């Protein structure tokens, strides 16, 4: 059997009982280590599982899946995924490869940012398409995400924005020269994400990301408990000007609040507001939310 097992969002104890039982009977245990990160090192996982954990980078998962699937038709092998297994298309691809090889597969689900974003107080039913925001460079500033945000905004829906991470990436020079030298890991911060959104709004000019009038909620290390989790709400301008260290450690996510905003969402998220009075004022005057 080939298992893909969701680990949840925080540490080694977030794995489900079903997932832990599967891990313990596997002959090889791989950890997908590039689409997201856990808040603990793999040594903590190994101690808890009683198994060696093999780190699988992008190349291993995407182009060398045969290594992972080797002998999975006659023994149990698993790939551990932070969050839920279907949080990235990469994992759908490796399941299809396993099925093509007639290897039995089983998926064991867990919490992910896609449902844990409800910790912000926003109702999951009111979310539209999720988008990803990548690091801009001087010569590459892709803006297709803006169209998805606008489509959501036109329907009054919230948008979950997943912020870029760079793990085991090569510089253009090292890539061109074929040198296996990797850059230090980088994780996009809330201020950088907001500045990129504002930059694209300045060129598109549709008004859906008005720095002074668009509400947003920043989240980091959701599910990590009070010592790790951070939630901050405000206008885009307030989030941009807020101290960077107030957002906590990565990974960070951002929600662009849609106009179909319920007063209970306003009440809940105001607990995280940089300026509660302004949060409620914008919700009432700009979003048309009926507040007492």
């Amino acid at each position: 059997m080939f298992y893909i097992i969701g680990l949840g969002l925080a540490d080694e104890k977030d794995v489900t009982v079903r997932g832990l039982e599967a891990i313990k009977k596997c002959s090889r245990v791989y950890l997908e280590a590039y689409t997201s990160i856990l808040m603990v090192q793999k040594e903590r996982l190994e101690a808890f599982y009683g198994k060696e954990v093999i780190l699988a980078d992008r190349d291993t998962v995407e182009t060398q899946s045969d290594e992972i699937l080797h002998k999975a038709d006659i023994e149990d092998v698993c790939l551990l995924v932070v969050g839920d297994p279907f949080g990235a298309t990469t994992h759908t691809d490796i399941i299809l490869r396993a099925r093509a090889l007639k290897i039995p597969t089983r998926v064991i689900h867990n919490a992910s940012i896609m449902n844990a974003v409800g910790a912000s107080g926003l109702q999951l039913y009111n979310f539209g398409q999720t988008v990803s925001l990548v690091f801009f460079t001087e010569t590459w500033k892709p803006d297709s995400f803006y169209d998805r945000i606008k489509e959501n905004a036109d329907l009054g829906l919230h948008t979950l924005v997943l912020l870029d991470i760079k793990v085991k990436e090569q510089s253009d020079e090292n890539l061109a020269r074929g040198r296996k030298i990797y850059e230090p890991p980088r994780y996009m911060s809330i201020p950088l994400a907001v500045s990129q959104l504002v930059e694209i709004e300045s060129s598109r000019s549709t008004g859906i990301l008005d720095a002074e009038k668009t509400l947003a909620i920043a989240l980091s290390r959701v599910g990590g408990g009070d010592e790790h989790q951070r939630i901050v709400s405000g206008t885009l301008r307030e989030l941009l000007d807020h101290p960077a260290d107030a957002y906590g450690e990565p990974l960070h996510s951002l929600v662009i609040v849609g106009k179909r905003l319920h007063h209970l969402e306003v009440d809940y998220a105001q607990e995280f507001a940089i300026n509660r009075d302004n949060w409620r004022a914008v919700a009432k005057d700009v979003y048309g939310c009926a507040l007492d």
Side-chain angles (χ1 to χ4, degrees):
M1 182 73 68
F2 173 61
Y3 294 89
I4 295 192
I5 301 171
L7 296 184
L9 292 165
D11 57 30
E12 74 277 12
K13 294 182 179 179
D14 276 2
V15 68
T16 64
V17 173
R18 190 186 306 276
L20 184 59
E21 290 174 345
I23 291 169
K24 287 185 175 294
K25 67 180 183 179
C26 285
S27 59
R28 297 194 316 280
V29 178
Y30 293 91
L31 172 62
E32 187 265 88
Y34 69 92
T35 60
S36 189
I37 59 169
L38 272 182
M39 301 179 201
V40 295
Q41 298 298 315
K42 79 179 185 75
E43 288 76 16
R44 285 264 298 270
L45 303 181
E46 291 173 330
F48 190 73
Y49 302 152
K51 290 280 186 177
E52 177 189 2
V53 173
I54 305 165
L55 290 180
D57 61 17
R58 184 186 297 272
D59 287 342
T60 302
V61 177
E62 293 187 349
T63 64
Q64 301 171 26
S65 61
D66 290 347
E67 176 184 330
I68 296 175
L69 297 175
H70 180 61
K71 292 188 177 180
D73 56 334
I74 58 174
E75 57 189 50
D76 293 323
V77 176
C78 67
L79 177 65
L80 309 181
V81 176
V82 178
D84 186 80
F86 289 133
T89 54
T90 293
H91 311 131
T92 304
D93 181 67
I94 198 169
I95 289 175
L96 291 175
R97 296 186 191 200
R99 289 176 179 172
L101 295 170
K102 308 300 183 184
I103 297 171
T105 61
R106 184 167 299 165
V107 174
I108 300 178
H109 294 282
N110 211 318
S112 78
I113 190 60
M114 302 293 284
N115 60 344
V117 68
S120 65
L122 300 180
Q123 298 168 7
L124 296 181
Y125 290 121
N126 287 339
F127 277 79
Q129 304 167 84
T130 297
V131 303
S132 296
L133 182 62
V134 302
F135 284 105
F136 287 175
T137 69
E138 290 298 321
T139 57
W140 188 62
K141 297 182 180 182
D143 63 355
S144 59
F145 67 86
Y146 187 92
D147 299 317
R148 308 289 83 76
I149 295 177
K150 186 177 187 306
E151 289 168 2
N152 289 343
D154 289 344
L155 294 172
L157 300 175
H158 311 313
T159 302
L160 173 59
V161 183
L162 303 177
L163 307 190
D164 199 8
I165 67 174
K166 296 291 187 184
V167 178
K168 204 174 181 182
E169 297 280 337
Q170 294 173 272
S171 67
D172 292 340
E173 180 182 353
N174 287 328
L175 187 63
R177 294 177 179 273
R179 298 185 299 209
K180 294 291 185 178
I181 300 174
Y182 301 100
E183 301 294 298
R186 289 193 297 150
Y187 308 99
M188 185 179 290
S189 67
I190 294 297
L192 178 58
V194 174
S195 69
Q196 292 191 177
L197 292 175
V198 172
E199 180 179 354
I200 295 302
E201 175 61 44
S202 67
S203 61
R204 290 294 194 97
S205 300
T206 70
I208 64 166
L209 295 175
D210 187 309
E212 312 300 334
K213 298 179 180 179
T214 298
L215 296 177
I217 303 178
L219 306 101
S220 68
R221 300 216 164 190
V222 177
D226 292 341
E227 68 273 27
H228 295 294
Q229 179 173 291
R230 298 285 185 276
I231 303 176
V232 182
S233 58
T235 64
L236 289 176
R237 175 66 62 198
E238 288 171 339
L239 295 180
L240 184 59
D241 294 341
H242 204 50
D245 58 5
Y247 296 110
E249 298 295 317
L251 297 172
H252 293 173
S253 301
L254 183 70
V255 179
I256 307 299
V257 177
K259 292 294 179 66
R260 193 185 298 178
L261 183 62
H262 192 274
H263 69 87
L264 291 179
E265 295 176 298
V266 177
D267 291 344
Y268 195 102
Q270 76 176 6
E271 296 300 315
F272 315 120
I274 296 170
N275 182 325
R276 293 189 183 190
D277 290 341
N278 194 51
W279 171 264
R280 295 185 68 84
V282 174
K284 181 179 180 179
D285 298 339
V286 178
Y287 282 67
C289 196
L291 302 175
D292 294 334

